[in-house]
C-alpha cells in the first residue's frame, strides 16, 4: 500500500470521526487536533479505526508521532512496509 492509498484511508476515517470537517481542505503539516478540533476520545477512536482498517498495531507510546496528517501517513506507510 502506498502513501496515497494510506492518506485516502486516513482522511476517510477522520471524516467518520468528525463528519462536519472538510478533510480534503486540511493542511497536512498542521497539528491534527487543532485543525479538526477533536478531543482525546475522538483521537483514540480514530487510532482504533485505523488499527482495525489497516491491521497495523499502533502502541500508545507512538500516539505522539501521529500529530499531523503527513506524520500519520508516514508512520503508517512505514509500519505497513515492515
Amino acid at each position: 500500500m502506498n502513501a496515497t492509498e494510506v492518506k485516502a484511508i486516513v482522511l476517510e476515517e477522520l471524516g467518520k470521526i468528525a463528519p462536519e470537517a472538510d478533510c480534503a481542505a486540511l493542511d497536512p503539516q498542521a497539528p491534527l487536533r487543532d485543525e479538526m478540533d477533536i478531543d482525546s476520545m475522538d483521537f483514540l477512536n480514530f487510532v482504533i479505526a485505523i488499527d482495525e482498517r489497516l491491521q497495523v498495531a499502533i502502541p500508545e507510546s507512538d500516539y505522539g508521532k501521529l500529530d499531523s496528517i503527513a506524520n500519520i501517513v508516514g508512520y503508517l506507510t512505514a509500519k505497513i512496509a515492515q
Side-chain angles (χ1 to χ4, degrees), residues 12-66:
E12 183 180 329
E13 293 302 328
L14 284 171
K16 291 177 184 176
I17 298 296
E20 71 285 352
D22 181 6
C23 293
L26 296 173
D27 177 353
Q29 304 299 328
L32 183 62
R33 291 188 183 190
D34 294 341
E35 278 282 285
M36 295 194 64
D37 192 32
I38 58 175
D39 62 21
S40 56
M41 275 310 287
D42 288 335
F43 181 75
L44 181 58
N45 288 331
F46 165 70
V47 171
I48 291 167
I50 289 295
D51 184 341
E52 291 174 357
R53 179 100 181 255
L54 296 177
Q55 299 298 303
V56 174
I58 304 170
E60 189 174 344
S61 60
D62 284 353
Y63 288 4
K65 298 176 183 178
L66 309 176

Side-chain angles (χ1 to χ4, degrees), residues 4 6 19 21 29 36 71 76:
T4 303
V6 171
Q29 304 299 328
M36 295 194 64
N71 288 343
L76 293 172

